[in-house]
Amino acid sequence: MRIAILAYDGCMGAEVLGLSDVLLVANRISLLRSPDAPAPFSISIIGTKAGQVRLAGGAQLSVLAPMPFDLLVVPAFDFDNIEGITTALAGLDEEKAFIRRAVEQRKIASICGGSLLLADAGILDGRQATTAWALAGEMARRYPNVEVIPDAVLVRAGEIITSGAFTAYGDLALQLIRDSVGSSLARAVGRFSLIDHSPRSQATYLDHRLSHKRRESLERAISTWFEKRLADRYRLDTLADAFNLSSRTLLRKFRAETGRSPLELLHDLRVERAKLLLETTTLSVAQVAAEVGYLDVATFSRLFARRTRLTPATFRKRFHVADVTVF
């Protein structure tokens, strides 16, 4: 399979080189298994024209001119704020035109925020797609004709595959290996590279405090108010009084800004706090639940699992920071 990775000024170098290297590992393992068989992947790093591109962070990378390929992979771009997304996309007209030409005859994949570049090129309209969880809300706002699946690591929509946050280049690589060669080689590459080849979800890693979205003043103010009272019982009338609004007006204003209720925001903030406690303390699950306002452990555990795809105990086992690290 001929895979071309599209590099451009400001793109994330680790996604370009990481994908290339994982597929190189696949070639090497395949050769060890079948010395006389051809390598399953031909990987090239291309630009819209040959030359040098400046990666995010400043490193220079030589890229080839476009050449025949079966799959084009588009990595993410760097930005520092929401306005920076608009600026970055405005400077990538040549890449968007190249993507539009490519999708007419070839398969396309993206890594992380590269899906915003696909969406801005207009090729995701009417399709499902994913992106980095922190960008999902902004992507949905910018491209209402795209059905964004925020917690998915990989989404296949016809001939287009989009993948989740930064290191999802590993998940994409294993999927390409499975598609082209088979699960046996994908498992071997996953073990060699320490990439989990079992199905994953971005929901486990989501942190609403880091999401790149426009947070209007009411949501920001209510978030701050909730964060000081996470363990308190939720009462809509108390919240409304704190902001000198009627309950009905507060609900209407908040839903107009965010598309959800204040209680849903509170649940998110409580789960974020619970994740921190599970990661950094030895409090029992019941104690953590109480710390964030849930007296019923079963209710807390169900809510936590819905939002993270892990039980509290499994989350702690995976992410708890131990006092002693063994290398």
Side-chain angles (χ1 to χ4, degrees), residues 205-294:
Y205 307 94
L206 191 149
D207 185 339
H208 290 277
R209 296 165 299 179
L210 300 179
S211 294
H212 281 280
K213 61 182 181 178
R214 296 181 188 275
R215 299 188 66 192
E216 302 295 343
S217 59
L218 181 60
E219 183 187 9
R220 182 168 58 251
I222 290 177
S223 294
T224 301
W225 193 87
F226 276 151
E227 284 168 355
K228 297 176 182 177
R229 302 167 178 83
L230 286 182
D232 292 357
R233 181 183 177 187
Y234 173 72
R235 292 183 61 91
L236 177 59
D237 55 350
T238 301
L239 175 63
D241 287 345
F243 290 89
N244 299 312
L245 296 169
S246 69
S247 296
R248 179 177 296 181
T249 299
L250 184 139
L251 286 175
R252 177 177 55 79
K253 286 179 173 289
F254 192 85
R255 187 167 292 280
E257 285 186 5
T258 69
R260 57 182 185 158
S261 71
L263 181 57
E264 290 174 288
L265 171 62
L266 177 59
H267 286 321
D268 287 341
L269 294 172
R270 285 174 166 175
V271 168
E272 297 304 336
R273 176 63 177 168
K275 287 161 67 175
L276 179 63
L277 293 173
L278 291 167
E279 289 173 0
T280 60
T281 76
T282 58
L283 294 175
S284 69
V285 172
Q287 288 172 319
V288 169
E291 284 284 325
V292 297
Y294 299 100

Coordinates of all heavy atoms in Angstrom, one line a residue, residues 205-294:
Y205 N -9.9 10.2 28.7 CA -8.9 11.3 28.8 C -9.5 12.7 28.8 O -8.8 13.6 29.0 CB -7.8 11.1 27.7 CG -7.3 9.8 27.6 CD1 -7.8 8.8 26.8 CD2 -6.2 9.4 28.4 CE1 -7.3 7.5 26.7 CE2 -5.7 8.1 28.4 CZ -6.2 7.2 27.5 OH -5.7 5.9 27.5
L206 N -10.8 12.8 28.6 CA -11.4 14.1 28.4 C -11.3 14.9 29.6 O -11.5 14.5 30.8 CB -12.9 13.9 28.0 CG -13.6 15.1 27.5 CD1 -14.7 14.7 26.5 CD2 -14.3 15.8 28.7
D207 N -10.9 16.2 29.5 CA -10.9 17.2 30.6 C -11.5 18.4 30.1 O -11.0 19.2 29.2 CB -9.4 17.4 30.9 CG -9.3 18.4 32.2 OD1 -10.2 19.1 32.4 OD2 -8.2 18.4 32.8
H208 N -12.7 18.7 30.5 CA -13.5 19.9 30.0 C -12.8 21.2 30.3 O -13.0 22.2 29.6 CB -14.9 19.9 30.7 CG -15.7 18.8 30.2 ND1 -16.5 18.9 29.1 CD2 -16.0 17.6 30.8 CE1 -17.2 17.7 28.9 NE2 -16.9 16.9 29.9
R209 N -11.9 21.3 31.2 CA -11.1 22.5 31.5 C -10.2 22.9 30.4 O -9.8 24.0 30.2 CB -10.4 22.4 32.8 CG -11.3 22.2 34.0 CD -10.5 21.7 35.2 NE -9.8 20.4 34.9 CZ -9.1 19.8 35.8 NH1 -8.8 20.3 37.0 NH2 -8.5 18.6 35.5
L210 N -9.8 21.9 29.6 CA -8.8 22.1 28.5 C -9.4 22.1 27.1 O -8.7 22.3 26.1 CB -7.7 21.0 28.5 CG -6.9 20.9 29.8 CD1 -5.9 19.7 29.7 CD2 -6.2 22.2 30.1
S211 N -10.7 21.9 27.0 CA -11.4 21.9 25.7 C -11.3 23.3 25.0 O -11.5 24.3 25.7 CB -12.9 21.6 25.9 OG -13.0 20.2 26.3
H212 N -10.9 23.2 23.7 CA -10.8 24.5 23.0 C -12.2 24.8 22.4 O -12.7 24.3 21.4 CB -9.9 24.3 21.8 CG -8.5 24.4 22.2 ND1 -7.8 25.6 22.4 CD2 -7.5 23.4 22.5 CE1 -6.6 25.4 22.8 NE2 -6.4 24.1 22.8
K213 N -12.9 25.6 23.2 CA -14.2 26.1 22.8 C -14.4 27.5 23.3 O -13.7 27.9 24.2 CB -15.3 25.1 23.3 CG -15.4 25.1 24.8 CD -16.4 24.1 25.3 CE -16.5 24.1 26.8 NZ -17.5 23.1 27.3
R214 N -15.4 28.1 22.7 CA -15.7 29.5 23.2 C -16.6 29.4 24.4 O -17.7 28.9 24.4 CB -16.5 30.3 22.1 CG -15.6 30.4 20.9 CD -16.4 31.2 19.8 NE -15.7 31.3 18.6 CZ -14.8 32.1 18.2 NH1 -14.5 33.0 19.1 NH2 -14.2 32.1 17.1
R215 N -16.1 29.8 25.6 CA -16.8 29.7 26.8 C -17.4 31.1 27.1 O -16.6 32.0 27.5 CB -15.9 29.2 27.9 CG -15.4 27.8 27.7 CD -14.7 27.3 28.9 NE -15.6 27.0 30.0 CZ -15.3 26.8 31.2 NH1 -14.0 26.7 31.5 NH2 -16.2 26.6 32.1
E216 N -18.7 31.2 27.0 CA -19.3 32.5 27.2 C -19.3 32.8 28.6 O -19.1 32.0 29.5 CB -20.8 32.5 26.6 CG -20.8 32.1 25.1 CD -20.1 33.2 24.2 OE1 -19.9 34.3 24.7 OE2 -19.8 32.9 23.1
S217 N -19.7 34.1 29.0 CA -19.5 34.6 30.3 C -20.4 33.8 31.3 O -19.9 33.6 32.5 CB -19.8 36.1 30.4 OG -21.1 36.3 29.9
L218 N -21.6 33.5 31.0 CA -22.5 32.8 31.9 C -21.9 31.4 32.3 O -21.9 31.0 33.4 CB -23.9 32.7 31.4 CG -24.9 32.1 32.4 CD1 -25.0 32.8 33.7 CD2 -26.3 32.0 31.7
E219 N -21.5 30.7 31.3 CA -21.0 29.3 31.5 C -19.7 29.4 32.4 O -19.5 28.6 33.3 CB -20.6 28.6 30.2 CG -20.1 27.2 30.4 CD -19.7 26.5 29.2 OE1 -19.6 27.2 28.1 OE2 -19.4 25.3 29.2
R220 N -18.8 30.4 32.0 CA -17.6 30.5 32.8 C -17.9 30.9 34.3 O -17.3 30.3 35.2 CB -16.7 31.6 32.2 CG -15.4 31.8 32.9 CD -14.4 32.6 32.0 NE -14.9 33.9 31.7 CZ -15.3 34.3 30.5 NH1 -15.3 33.4 29.5 NH2 -15.8 35.5 30.3
A221 N -18.9 31.8 34.5 CA -19.2 32.2 35.8 C -19.8 31.1 36.6 O -19.5 30.9 37.8 CB -20.2 33.4 35.7
I222 N -20.7 30.3 36.0 CA -21.4 29.2 36.7 C -20.3 28.1 37.0 O -20.4 27.5 38.0 CB -22.5 28.7 35.8 CG1 -23.7 29.7 35.9 CG2 -23.0 27.3 36.4 CD1 -24.9 29.3 35.0
S223 N -19.4 27.8 36.0 CA -18.4 26.9 36.3 C -17.6 27.2 37.5 O -17.3 26.4 38.4 CB -17.4 26.8 35.1 OG -18.0 26.2 34.0
T224 N -17.2 28.5 37.6 CA -16.4 29.0 38.8 C -17.2 28.8 40.1 O -16.7 28.4 41.1 CB -16.0 30.5 38.6 OG1 -15.2 30.6 37.4 CG2 -15.2 31.0 39.8
W225 N -18.5 29.1 40.0 CA -19.4 29.0 41.2 C -19.5 27.5 41.6 O -19.4 27.2 42.8 CB -20.8 29.6 40.8 CG -21.7 29.8 42.0 CD1 -21.8 30.9 42.7 CD2 -22.7 28.9 42.5 NE1 -22.8 30.8 43.7 CE2 -23.3 29.5 43.6 CE3 -23.1 27.6 42.1 CZ2 -24.4 28.9 44.3 CZ3 -24.1 27.0 42.8 CH2 -24.8 27.7 43.9
F226 N -19.7 26.6 40.6 CA -19.8 25.2 40.9 C -18.5 24.7 41.5 O -18.5 23.8 42.5 CB -20.1 24.4 39.7 CG -21.6 24.4 39.3 CD1 -22.0 24.2 38.0 CD2 -22.6 24.4 40.3 CE1 -23.3 24.2 37.6 CE2 -23.9 24.3 39.9 CZ -24.3 24.2 38.6
E227 N -17.4 25.1 41.0 CA -16.1 24.5 41.4 C -15.8 24.8 42.9 O -15.1 24.0 43.5 CB -15.0 25.1 40.5 CG -14.9 24.4 39.2 CD -14.0 25.1 38.2 OE1 -13.5 26.2 38.6 OE2 -13.8 24.6 37.1
K228 N -16.4 25.8 43.4 CA -16.3 26.1 44.9 C -17.3 25.3 45.7 O -17.2 25.4 47.0 CB -16.4 27.6 45.1 CG -15.4 28.4 44.4 CD -15.7 29.9 44.6 CE -14.6 30.8 43.9 NZ -14.9 32.2 44.0
R229 N -18.2 24.6 45.1 CA -19.3 24.0 45.8 C -19.6 22.6 45.2 O -20.8 22.2 45.2 CB -20.6 24.8 45.7 CG -20.4 26.3 46.2 CD -21.6 27.1 45.8 NE -21.4 28.5 46.4 CZ -20.7 29.5 45.8 NH1 -20.0 29.2 44.7 NH2 -20.6 30.6 46.4
L230 N -18.6 21.9 44.8 CA -18.8 20.6 44.1 C -19.6 19.6 45.0 O -20.3 18.8 44.5 CB -17.5 20.0 43.6 CG -16.8 20.7 42.4 CD1 -15.5 19.9 42.1 CD2 -17.7 20.7 41.2
A231 N -19.3 19.6 46.3 CA -19.9 18.6 47.1 C -21.3 19.0 47.6 O -22.1 18.2 48.2 CB -19.1 18.4 48.3
D232 N -21.7 20.3 47.3 CA -23.0 20.7 47.7 C -24.2 20.1 46.9 O -24.0 19.8 45.7 CB -23.1 22.3 47.6 CG -22.2 23.0 48.6 OD1 -21.6 22.3 49.4 OD2 -22.2 24.2 48.5
R233 N -25.3 20.0 47.5 CA -26.5 19.5 46.8 C -26.9 20.5 45.7 O -26.9 21.7 46.0 CB -27.6 19.3 47.8 CG -28.9 18.7 47.1 CD -30.0 18.6 48.1 NE -31.3 18.2 47.5 CZ -32.4 18.1 48.1 NH1 -32.5 18.4 49.4 NH2 -33.5 17.7 47.4
Y234 N -27.2 20.0 44.5 CA -27.6 20.8 43.4 C -29.0 21.3 43.6 O -29.9 20.5 43.8 CB -27.5 20.1 42.1 CG -28.0 20.9 40.9 CD1 -27.3 22.0 40.4 CD2 -29.2 20.5 40.3 CE1 -27.8 22.7 39.4 CE2 -29.7 21.2 39.2 CZ -29.0 22.4 38.8 OH -29.5 23.1 37.7
R235 N -29.2 22.6 43.7 CA -30.5 23.2 43.7 C -30.6 24.3 42.7 O -29.8 25.3 42.7 CB -30.8 23.8 45.1 CG -31.0 22.7 46.2 CD -31.4 23.4 47.5 NE -32.7 24.1 47.4 CZ -33.8 23.5 47.6 NH1 -33.9 22.2 48.0 NH2 -34.9 24.2 47.5
L236 N -31.4 24.2 41.7 CA -31.5 25.1 40.6 C -31.9 26.5 41.1 O -31.4 27.5 40.7 CB -32.5 24.7 39.5 CG -32.8 25.6 38.4 CD1 -31.5 25.9 37.6 CD2 -33.9 25.1 37.5
D237 N -32.8 26.6 42.1 CA -33.3 27.9 42.6 C -32.1 28.6 43.3 O -32.0 29.8 43.2 CB -34.5 27.7 43.5 CG -34.2 26.8 44.7 OD1 -33.2 26.1 44.7 OD2 -35.1 26.7 45.6
T238 N -31.3 27.9 44.0 CA -30.1 28.5 44.7 C -29.1 29.0 43.6 O -28.6 30.1 43.8 CB -29.4 27.5 45.6 OG1 -30.3 27.0 46.5 CG2 -28.2 28.1 46.3
L239 N -28.9 28.3 42.6 CA -28.0 28.7 41.5 C -28.6 30.0 40.9 O -27.9 30.9 40.6 CB -27.8 27.6 40.5 CG -27.0 27.9 39.2 CD1 -25.6 28.3 39.6 CD2 -27.1 26.8 38.2
A240 N -29.9 29.9 40.5 CA -30.5 31.1 39.9 C -30.4 32.3 40.8 O -30.1 33.4 40.3 CB -31.9 30.7 39.5
D241 N -30.7 32.2 42.1 CA -30.6 33.3 43.0 C -29.2 33.9 43.0 O -29.0 35.1 43.1 CB -31.0 32.9 44.4 CG -32.5 32.6 44.5 OD1 -33.2 33.0 43.6 OD2 -32.9 32.0 45.5
A242 N -28.2 33.0 42.9 CA -26.8 33.5 43.0 C -26.5 34.4 41.8 O -25.6 35.3 41.9 CB -25.8 32.3 43.0
F243 N -27.2 34.3 40.7 CA -27.0 35.1 39.5 C -28.1 36.0 39.2 O -28.2 36.6 38.1 CB -26.7 34.2 38.3 CG -25.4 33.4 38.4 CD1 -25.3 32.2 39.0 CD2 -24.3 34.0 37.9 CE1 -24.1 31.6 39.1 CE2 -23.0 33.4 38.0 CZ -22.9 32.1 38.6
N244 N -29.0 36.2 40.2 CA -30.1 37.2 40.1 C -31.0 36.9 38.9 O -31.4 37.9 38.2 CB -29.5 38.6 40.1 CG -28.8 39.0 41.3 OD1 -29.2 38.7 42.5 ND2 -27.6 39.5 41.2
L245 N -31.2 35.7 38.7 CA -32.1 35.3 37.5 C -33.2 34.3 38.1 O -33.0 33.7 39.1 CB -31.3 34.5 36.5 CG -30.2 35.3 35.7 CD1 -29.3 34.4 34.9 CD2 -30.8 36.4 34.9
S246 N -34.3 34.3 37.3 CA -35.3 33.2 37.7 C -34.7 31.9 37.2 O -33.9 31.9 36.3 CB -36.6 33.5 37.0 OG -36.5 33.4 35.6
S247 N -35.2 30.8 37.7 CA -34.8 29.5 37.3 C -35.0 29.3 35.8 O -34.1 28.8 35.1 CB -35.5 28.4 38.1 OG -35.2 28.5 39.4
R248 N -36.2 29.7 35.3 CA -36.5 29.5 33.9 C -35.6 30.3 33.0 O -35.1 29.8 32.0 CB -37.9 29.9 33.6 CG -38.4 29.8 32.2 CD -39.8 30.2 32.0 NE -40.7 29.2 32.7 CZ -42.0 29.3 32.7 NH1 -42.6 30.3 32.0 NH2 -42.7 28.4 33.4
T249 N -35.3 31.6 33.4 CA -34.4 32.4 32.6 C -33.0 31.9 32.6 O -32.3 31.8 31.5 CB -34.4 33.9 33.1 OG1 -35.7 34.4 33.1 CG2 -33.4 34.7 32.3
L250 N -32.5 31.4 33.7 CA -31.1 30.8 33.8 C -31.0 29.6 32.9 O -30.1 29.5 32.1 CB -30.8 30.5 35.2 CG -29.3 30.0 35.4 CD1 -28.7 30.5 36.7 CD2 -29.3 28.5 35.4
L251 N -32.0 28.7 32.9 CA -32.0 27.5 32.1 C -32.0 27.9 30.6 O -31.2 27.4 29.8 CB -33.2 26.6 32.4 CG -33.1 25.8 33.7 CD1 -34.4 25.1 33.9 CD2 -31.9 24.9 33.7
R252 N -32.8 28.9 30.3 CA -32.9 29.3 28.9 C -31.6 29.9 28.4 O -31.1 29.6 27.3 CB -34.1 30.3 28.7 CG -34.2 30.9 27.3 CD -35.4 31.8 27.2 NE -35.4 32.9 28.1 CZ -34.6 34.0 28.0 NH1 -33.8 34.1 27.0 NH2 -34.7 34.9 28.9
K253 N -31.0 30.8 29.2 CA -29.8 31.5 28.8 C -28.6 30.4 28.7 O -27.8 30.5 27.7 CB -29.4 32.6 29.8 CG -30.3 33.8 29.7 CD -29.8 34.8 30.7 CE -30.5 36.2 30.5 NZ -30.1 36.9 29.3
F254 N -28.6 29.6 29.7 CA -27.5 28.6 29.7 C -27.6 27.6 28.5 O -26.6 27.3 27.9 CB -27.5 27.8 31.0 CG -26.2 27.0 31.2 CD1 -25.1 27.6 31.8 CD2 -26.1 25.7 30.9 CE1 -23.9 26.9 32.0 CE2 -25.0 25.0 31.1 CZ -23.9 25.6 31.7
R255 N -28.8 27.2 28.2 CA -28.9 26.2 27.1 C -28.7 26.9 25.8 O -28.1 26.3 24.9 CB -30.3 25.6 27.1 CG -30.5 24.5 26.1 CD -31.8 23.7 26.4 NE -31.8 23.0 27.6 CZ -31.2 21.8 27.7 NH1 -30.5 21.2 26.7 NH2 -31.2 21.1 28.8
A256 N -29.0 28.2 25.7 CA -28.8 28.9 24.4 C -27.3 29.0 24.2 O -26.8 29.0 23.0 CB -29.4 30.3 24.5
E257 N -26.5 29.2 25.3 CA -25.0 29.3 25.1 C -24.3 28.0 24.9 O -23.4 27.9 24.1 CB -24.4 30.0 26.4 CG -24.7 31.4 26.5 CD -23.9 32.0 27.7 OE1 -23.2 31.2 28.4 OE2 -24.1 33.2 28.0
T258 N -24.8 26.9 25.6 CA -24.0 25.7 25.6 C -24.7 24.5 25.0 O -24.1 23.5 24.8 CB -23.7 25.4 27.1 OG1 -24.9 25.0 27.8 CG2 -23.0 26.5 27.8
G259 N -26.1 24.6 24.9 CA -26.8 23.4 24.3 C -27.1 22.4 25.4 O -27.5 21.3 25.0
R260 N -26.9 22.7 26.7 CA -27.1 21.7 27.7 C -27.6 22.4 29.0 O -27.7 23.6 29.0 CB -25.9 20.8 28.0 CG -24.7 21.6 28.3 CD -23.5 20.7 28.5 NE -22.3 21.4 29.0 CZ -21.3 20.8 29.6 NH1 -21.4 19.5 29.9 NH2 -20.3 21.5 30.0
S261 N -27.7 21.7 30.1 CA -28.2 22.2 31.3 C -27.1 22.5 32.3 O -26.0 21.9 32.2 CB -29.2 21.3 32.0 OG -28.6 20.1 32.5
P262 N -27.3 23.3 33.3 CA -26.2 23.5 34.3 C -25.9 22.2 35.1 O -24.7 22.0 35.5 CB -26.8 24.6 35.3 CG -27.8 25.3 34.4 CD -28.4 24.3 33.5
L263 N -26.9 21.4 35.3 CA -26.6 20.1 36.0 C -25.7 19.2 35.2 O -24.8 18.6 35.8 CB -27.9 19.4 36.2 CG -27.8 18.0 37.0 CD1 -27.2 18.3 38.3 CD2 -29.2 17.4 37.1
E264 N -25.8 19.2 33.9 CA -24.8 18.4 33.1 C -23.4 19.0 33.2 O -22.4 18.2 33.3 CB -25.2 18.5 31.6 CG -26.5 17.7 31.3 CD -27.0 17.8 29.9 OE1 -27.5 18.9 29.5 OE2 -26.8 16.9 29.1
L265 N -23.3 20.3 33.3 CA -22.0 20.9 33.5 C -21.4 20.5 34.9 O -20.3 20.2 35.0 CB -22.1 22.5 33.4 CG -20.8 23.2 33.9 CD1 -19.6 22.9 33.0 CD2 -21.1 24.7 33.9
L266 N -22.3 20.5 35.9 CA -21.9 20.1 37.2 C -21.4 18.7 37.2 O -20.4 18.4 37.9 CB -23.0 20.3 38.2 CG -22.8 19.9 39.7 CD1 -21.6 20.7 40.2 CD2 -24.0 20.1 40.5
H267 N -22.1 17.8 36.6 CA -21.7 16.4 36.5 C -20.3 16.3 35.9 O -19.4 15.6 36.4 CB -22.7 15.6 35.7 CG -23.9 15.3 36.4 ND1 -24.0 15.0 37.7 CD2 -25.2 15.2 35.9 CE1 -25.3 14.7 38.1 NE2 -26.0 14.9 37.0
D268 N -20.0 17.1 34.8 CA -18.7 17.0 34.2 C -17.6 17.5 35.1 O -16.6 16.9 35.2 CB -18.7 17.9 32.9 CG -19.5 17.3 31.8 OD1 -19.7 16.1 31.8 OD2 -19.9 18.1 30.9
L269 N -17.9 18.6 35.8 CA -16.9 19.1 36.8 C -16.6 18.2 37.9 O -15.5 18.0 38.4 CB -17.4 20.5 37.3 CG -17.5 21.6 36.3 CD1 -18.1 22.9 36.9 CD2 -16.1 22.0 35.7
R270 N -17.7 17.5 38.4 CA -17.5 16.6 39.5 C -16.7 15.4 39.0 O -15.8 14.9 39.8 CB -18.9 16.1 40.0 CG -19.6 17.1 40.8 CD -21.0 16.7 41.2 NE -21.6 17.5 42.3 CZ -22.8 17.3 42.7 NH1 -23.6 16.5 42.1 NH2 -23.3 18.1 43.7
V271 N -16.9 14.9 37.8 CA -16.1 13.8 37.3 C -14.7 14.2 37.1 O -13.8 13.4 37.4 CB -16.7 13.3 36.0 CG1 -15.8 12.3 35.2 CG2 -18.0 12.6 36.2
E272 N -14.4 15.4 36.6 CA -13.0 15.9 36.5 C -12.3 15.9 37.9 O -11.2 15.5 38.0 CB -13.0 17.3 35.9 CG -13.5 17.4 34.5 CD -12.8 16.4 33.5 OE1 -11.7 16.0 33.7 OE2 -13.5 16.1 32.5
R273 N -13.0 16.4 38.9 CA -12.5 16.4 40.2 C -12.2 14.9 40.7 O -11.2 14.6 41.4 CB -13.4 17.1 41.2 CG -12.9 17.2 42.6 CD -11.6 17.8 42.8 NE -11.3 17.9 44.2 CZ -10.1 18.2 44.7 NH1 -9.1 18.6 43.9 NH2 -9.8 18.2 46.0
A274 N -13.2 14.1 40.5 CA -13.1 12.7 40.9 C -11.9 12.0 40.2 O -11.1 11.2 40.9 CB -14.3 11.9 40.6
K275 N -11.7 12.3 39.0 CA -10.5 11.7 38.3 C -9.2 12.2 38.9 O -8.3 11.3 39.1 CB -10.5 12.2 36.8 CG -11.6 11.4 36.0 CD -11.9 12.2 34.7 CE -10.8 12.2 33.7 NZ -11.2 12.8 32.4
L276 N -9.1 13.4 39.3 CA -7.9 13.9 40.0 C -7.7 13.2 41.3 O -6.6 12.8 41.6 CB -8.0 15.4 40.2 CG -6.9 16.1 40.9 CD1 -5.6 16.0 40.1 CD2 -7.2 17.6 41.1
L277 N -8.8 13.0 42.1 CA -8.7 12.4 43.4 C -8.3 10.9 43.2 O -7.5 10.4 44.0 CB -10.0 12.5 44.1 CG -10.4 13.9 44.6 CD1 -11.8 13.9 45.2 CD2 -9.4 14.5 45.6
L278 N -8.8 10.3 42.2 CA -8.4 8.9 41.9 C -7.0 8.7 41.5 O -6.3 7.7 41.8 CB -9.4 8.2 40.9 CG -10.8 8.0 41.3 CD1 -11.7 7.7 40.1 CD2 -10.9 6.9 42.4
E279 N -6.5 9.7 40.8 CA -5.1 9.7 40.3 C -4.1 10.0 41.4 O -3.0 9.4 41.4 CB -4.9 10.7 39.2 CG -5.6 10.4 37.9 CD -5.5 11.6 36.9 OE1 -5.0 12.6 37.2 OE2 -6.1 11.4 35.8
T280 N -4.5 10.8 42.3 CA -3.5 11.4 43.2 C -3.6 11.1 44.7 O -2.8 11.5 45.5 CB -3.4 12.9 43.1 OG1 -4.7 13.5 43.4 CG2 -3.1 13.3 41.6
T281 N -4.7 10.4 45.1 CA -5.0 10.1 46.5 C -5.2 8.6 46.7 O -5.4 7.9 45.7 CB -6.1 10.9 47.1 OG1 -7.4 10.4 46.6 CG2 -6.1 12.4 46.7
T282 N -5.3 8.2 47.9 CA -5.7 6.8 48.3 C -7.1 6.8 48.8 O -7.5 5.8 49.4 CB -4.7 6.2 49.3 OG1 -4.7 7.0 50.4 CG2 -3.3 6.1 48.6
L283 N -7.9 7.8 48.7 CA -9.3 7.8 49.1 C -10.0 6.6 48.5 O -9.8 6.3 47.3 CB -10.0 9.1 48.8 CG -9.5 10.4 49.5 CD1 -10.2 11.6 48.9 CD2 -9.7 10.3 51.0
S284 N -10.9 6.0 49.2 CA -11.7 5.0 48.6 C -12.7 5.6 47.6 O -12.9 6.8 47.6 CB -12.5 4.2 49.7 OG -13.5 5.1 50.2
V285 N -13.3 4.7 46.8 CA -14.2 5.2 45.8 C -15.4 5.9 46.5 O -15.9 6.9 46.0 CB -14.7 4.0 44.9 CG1 -15.8 4.5 44.0 CG2 -13.5 3.5 44.0
A286 N -15.8 5.3 47.6 CA -16.9 5.9 48.3 C -16.6 7.3 48.8 O -17.4 8.2 48.8 CB -17.4 5.0 49.5
Q287 N -15.3 7.4 49.3 CA -14.9 8.7 49.8 C -14.7 9.7 48.7 O -15.1 10.9 48.8 CB -13.5 8.6 50.5 CG -13.6 7.9 51.9 CD -12.3 7.5 52.5 OE1 -11.3 7.1 51.8 NE2 -12.1 7.8 53.8
V288 N -14.3 9.3 47.5 CA -14.2 10.2 46.4 C -15.6 10.6 46.0 O -15.8 11.8 45.7 CB -13.5 9.5 45.2 CG1 -13.6 10.3 43.9 CG2 -12.0 9.2 45.5
A289 N -16.5 9.7 45.9 CA -17.9 10.0 45.6 C -18.4 11.1 46.5 O -19.0 12.1 46.1 CB -18.8 8.8 45.6
A290 N -18.2 10.9 47.8 CA -18.7 11.9 48.8 C -18.0 13.3 48.6 O -18.6 14.3 48.7 CB -18.4 11.4 50.2
E291 N -16.7 13.3 48.3 CA -16.0 14.5 48.1 C -16.6 15.3 46.9 O -16.5 16.6 46.9 CB -14.5 14.2 47.8 CG -13.7 13.8 49.0 CD -13.3 15.0 49.8 OE1 -13.1 16.1 49.3 OE2 -13.3 14.8 51.1
V292 N -17.2 14.7 45.9 CA -17.7 15.4 44.8 C -19.2 15.4 44.8 O -19.9 15.8 43.8 CB -17.2 14.9 43.5 CG1 -15.7 15.1 43.4 CG2 -17.5 13.4 43.3
G293 N -19.8 15.1 45.9 CA -21.3 15.4 46.1 C -22.2 14.2 45.8 O -23.4 14.4 45.7
Y294 N -21.7 13.0 45.8 CA -22.6 11.8 45.6 C -22.5 10.9 46.8 O -21.5 10.3 47.1 CB -22.1 11.0 44.3 CG -22.2 11.8 43.1 CD1 -21.0 12.4 42.5 CD2 -23.4 12.1 42.4 CE1 -21.0 13.1 41.4 CE2 -23.4 12.8 41.2 CZ -22.2 13.4 40.7 OH -22.3 14.1 39.6

